[in-house]
Amino acid sequence: MTAQRFSNPRGADASGADASGSDALARDLTRVSGRFARIAGRVAGRGYSLIAWRVLLGLEQSGPARISTLAHEQRVAQPSMTGLVQRLEGEGWVARAPDPADGRATLVSITPAGSAALVDYLGAAAERLRPHLEALSEFDRATLARAAELLHQLGDRIDDPSGERRERPAAGSP
């Protein structure tokens, strides 16, 4: 099977706009990363949506957050995120606690059981990808490893161009 290219070879996208250089690369990365996330995220026997796993991953990486923040980050309505958090809380994967900065609000945090479930999910996703990666040449695997590093860096810059990322609390703090 040949790789599908998304850019129009004549330099224009479907709208007729110029698709050269950075614009074309941005479109290709957006399309292929979304497709890859959907494919990699289809792990049998893991009855939660990709959004649920992204919420757990975000809590693991960035620490506790308000439901409104989680909803905004995942581009879902707050009532939808509230329902998801309730389901994750029912599994014992997240916990809610009062926000020390505002007693009227609550913070959602990942629990050790949630971290374990996330490790299991990521392991299953990696297992699904492993044979396909092993079929690639060493050069192509090294290229993908470098691309993954660059995508992490790019994602960090896009996620928070101000440099004021949601800080993870210090170990042992509430």
Side-chain angles (χ1 to χ4, degrees), residues 54-78:
R54 288 193 320 232
V55 166
L56 289 174
L57 186 61
L59 293 171
E60 176 95 344
Q61 292 175 338
S62 301
R66 291 181 178 185
I67 289 177
S68 59
T69 301
L70 297 173
H72 176 75
E73 288 174 350
Q74 298 303 322
R75 306 272 193 257
V76 299
Q78 190 165 334

Side-chain angles (χ1 to χ4, degrees), residues 53 56 59-60 92-94 110-122 168:
W53 298 111
L56 289 174
L59 293 171
E60 176 95 344
W93 293 353
V94 300
I110 192 167
T111 64
S115 292
L118 183 59
V119 165
D120 183 50
Y121 170 79
L122 293 173
R168 170 176 251 189

